[in-house]
Amino acid sequence: MNGGGEGDGWPRLTAAAGGEKRHPKGLGNGAIPGGAGGEGPPQQQEEGQETWGRRQPRRNSLTGEAACQEIAIRNPFLYYLFNLGTELGNELFYILFFPFCIWNLDAWMGRRLIIVWVWVMYLGQCTKDVIRWPRPASPPVVKLEVFYNSEYSMPSTHAMSGTAIPLALVLLSYGRWQYPLMYGLILVICWCSLVCFSRIYMGMHSILDVIAGFLYAILILVVFHPAVDLIDNFNLTYKYAPLIIISLHLALGVFSFTLDTWSTSRGDTAQILGCGAGVACGSHFNYMLGLMQDPSPDTLPLIPPSITVTLFGKAILRLLIGVVLLLLTRIMMKKITIPLACKMFSIPCDDIRQARQRMEVELPYRYITYGMVGFSLMFLVPCLFLFIGLS
């Protein structure tokens, strides 16, 4: 990914926060190129060069890390395309995609997708904290976001989720749903490529990080995919499944918090585990009460229904109402759990950012909050849909 040459579409560093001009420098340190046009000779803004716009890198308010550079964007298509690719591995996408699958497509498939996602992301985050490779240095790399800058780099968990989710989606749906396999393969290639290339463009990963994440996700799928049915059946049918699920996911969260000093990856890990536990517990209650029953095997393969105005309207209405309820649940639980954890462990809560860097606060806050979000996704919201006639 070389940044030399005018009008190539790759971002340029233009100025530091204090107004000092900054430009990418040559690598010179043996690092693998990891950013969008970061390496190469300094790029000066010459007369006649068109700059489409300027942006500040996306930042994470929890880390307090200030954006130190302004980015000149020369190709808005690439900029928005790879921002979209990055969002396919962020919370906003997950809180839209998984509910849509479960409420509107196939709850059977949605449950198994979340099981795969939890294992892939958990192992990826833990591996980061074991290997402890830093993010690509800037300069020479141009970073278009610093949201995950406090995390380690190897492997890329965006590349892992961007590989595992579409692959698992095709593995789970093909044969269960009637559609040409070629469509599924095209989806996998486009989705995976977009996410992987976006992490290099955004300056958050080297090529090696992305390749390792891609291969690691495939390895995890090869090992764990045969056990997905067993895990899902256990979650649904075993009498004491909720107790085991909650205990196991909490123990995994505590273990992940012991791997390294604080970073945003620890909270993300607890968040993923909490969501997985909540969905699994919600699935158990659904099964026990006979709600959201899976289609019987003799109805397979399922034929995609014709898209009508009524079908489309109900799907969008379910998504809008459900996601709003999930967001309200998250806000409410956050306001309850953080002060409660601070009070229980005698931690000052006047500085929330500092308090959340303590395991005693961050782990229960993330685990309980997103556990309730997952439980609402799988049980409470579908109960509401049944009550108001939207199921």
Side-chain angles (χ1 to χ4, degrees):
M1 297 289 180
N2 199 303
E6 298 180 8
D8 56 7
W10 296 95
R12 299 284 188 266
L13 280 176
T14 59
E20 177 189 357
K21 295 291 181 183
R22 297 183 62 184
H23 300 282
K25 300 178 182 178
L27 282 174
N29 59 359
I32 295 174
E39 65 274 24
Q43 301 292 328
Q44 301 289 341
Q45 299 241 355
E46 298 179 3
E47 187 176 354
Q49 279 189 322
E50 292 186 6
T51 299
W52 172 77
R54 301 179 188 275
R55 293 291 183 272
Q56 288 288 338
R58 183 181 175 218
R59 61 188 292 268
N60 189 331
S61 61
L62 184 59
T63 63
E65 188 173 10
C68 61
Q69 59 198 27
E70 188 180 70
I71 307 299
I73 305 299
R74 302 192 184 283
N75 190 320
F77 173 75
L78 285 181
Y79 177 75
Y80 283 114
L81 177 67
F82 288 125
N83 266 276
L84 172 64
T86 284
E87 286 302 323
L88 292 178
N90 289 344
E91 182 181 353
L92 176 61
F93 168 73
Y94 296 138
I95 209 168
L96 293 173
F97 174 73
F98 289 132
F100 185 84
C101 284
I102 290 170
W103 299 334
N104 293 321
L105 295 180
D106 188 351
W108 180 94
M109 186 173 63
R111 294 194 309 266
R112 285 162 168 76
L113 271 177
I114 290 175
I115 291 171
V116 170
W117 171 70
V118 168
W119 279 107
V120 165
M121 294 299 291
Y122 177 77
L123 292 173
Q125 295 284 26
C126 288
T127 303
K128 278 185 177 182
D129 288 338
V130 171
I131 296 177
R132 302 181 185 181
W133 282 18
R135 296 279 183 182
S138 177
V141 168
V142 182
K143 292 191 176 182
L144 299 191
E145 70 171 39
V146 292
F147 192 83
Y148 298 105
N149 208 38
S150 67
E151 297 182 14
Y152 293 113
S153 184
M154 168 66 76
S156 167
T157 46
H158 269 76
M160 291 180 70
S161 69
T163 302
I165 291 178
L167 264 177
L169 185 62
V170 172
L171 289 172
L172 292 168
S173 63
Y174 187 70
R176 180 176 175 83
W177 285 86
Q178 190 173 317
Y179 67 90
L181 179 60
M182 184 58 64
Y183 291 176
L185 296 179
I186 292 172
L187 174 70
V188 171
I189 293 170
C190 293
W191 188 329
C192 182
S193 300
L194 183 58
V195 175
C196 289
F197 284 119
S198 75
R199 301 314 286 161
I200 300 171
Y201 180 90
M202 301 297 284
M204 296 305 291
H205 285 287
S206 69
I207 296 175
L208 183 58
D209 297 337
V210 170
I211 293 174
F214 170 78
L215 296 177
Y216 195 18
I218 292 177
L219 175 63
I220 293 170
L221 271 179
V222 169
V223 173
F224 283 99
H225 184 261
V228 169
D229 283 341
L230 182 64
I231 294 171
D232 187 54
N233 289 332
F234 171 83
N235 293 342
L236 295 180
T237 61
Y238 187 63
K239 182 178 180 180
Y240 300 107
L243 181 61
I244 296 173
I245 291 164
I246 293 171
S247 301
L248 176 62
H249 285 72
L250 184 58
L252 291 172
V254 172
F255 171 75
S256 71
F257 271 61
T258 64
L259 291 176
D260 193 41
T261 56
W262 183 86
S263 74
T264 55
S265 68
R266 302 201 313 180
D268 291 341
T269 304
Q271 178 175 315
I272 292 162
L273 290 169
C275 185
V279 167
C281 291
S283 303
H284 179 82
F285 284 100
N286 265 338
Y287 179 81
M288 291 301 176
L289 296 176
L291 305 175
M292 293 181 67
Q293 294 184 352
D294 297 328
S296 59
D298 58 349
T299 62
L300 303 180
L302 302 172
I303 300 174
S306 301
I307 299 177
T308 63
V309 174
T310 302
L311 182 69
F312 180 77
K314 280 191 172 183
I316 296 301
L317 193 58
R318 276 193 293 265
L319 186 65
L320 289 176
I321 294 174
V323 168
V324 167
L325 291 174
L326 295 184
L327 294 174
L328 290 175
T329 300
R330 186 183 67 170
I331 293 169
M332 179 183 68
M333 294 306 299
K334 180 178 180 179
K335 289 186 177 297
I336 294 172
T337 52
I338 293 179
L340 183 61
C342 289
K343 186 174 182 179
M344 287 179 62
F345 295 102
S346 302
I347 296 173
C349 60
D350 49 338
D351 188 340
I352 297 297
R353 181 187 301 164
Q354 289 296 323
R356 285 182 56 187
Q357 294 186 15
R358 299 281 298 272
M359 182 183 76
E360 299 92 330
V361 175
E362 186 74 344
L363 178 58
Y365 150 58
R366 295 272 194 152
Y367 188 78
I368 295 172
T369 297
Y370 285 89
M372 278 303 302
V373 170
F375 187 75
S376 299
L377 160 66
M378 203 68 221
F379 181 70
L380 297 181
V381 173
C383 285
L384 174 65
F385 290 159
L386 185 63
F387 180 74
I388 63 178
L390 266 179
S391 58

